[in-house]
Amino acid sequence: MGALQPLHLLLLLGLILLIFGPRRLVATGRALGQSWRALVAGWRQGQSAGPALLARPCPRCGQWSTESARYCTACGAALPS
Ligand SMILES: [Zn+2]
């Protein structure tokens, strides 16, 4: 008793489908996905605008580059990912 078993989850899912209807469930899922994407996008923007902008030193010349940069801006060496 107490723990949720797969059958219980299935019954719960069926009940939710019965109450809200499949169409509304799909819309809810889509809205959830959109807010999740917006959250991730905002998080990425905040990260790139923050103090972590200069995150990696160049292995060849020591020049600090942005986290997203693939090549050193000073000497052009490939940066480790
Ligand atoms: Zn360099």
Side-chain angles (χ1 to χ4, degrees), residues 16 20-35:
I16 290 171
F20 294 105
R23 199 173 293 176
R24 188 153 169 201
L25 215 69
V26 167
T28 307
R30 194 176 294 145
L32 271 173
Q34 277 171 354
S35 23

Side-chain angles (χ1 to χ4, degrees), residues 58-63 72-77:
C58 172
R60 193 193 287 173
C61 69
Q63 171 79 36
C72 174
T73 50
C75 71

Side-chain angles (χ1 to χ4, degrees), residues 27-44:
T28 307
R30 194 176 294 145
L32 271 173
Q34 277 171 354
S35 23
W36 173 252
R37 269 193 294 266
L39 193 83
V40 169
W43 177 71
R44 285 211 181 119

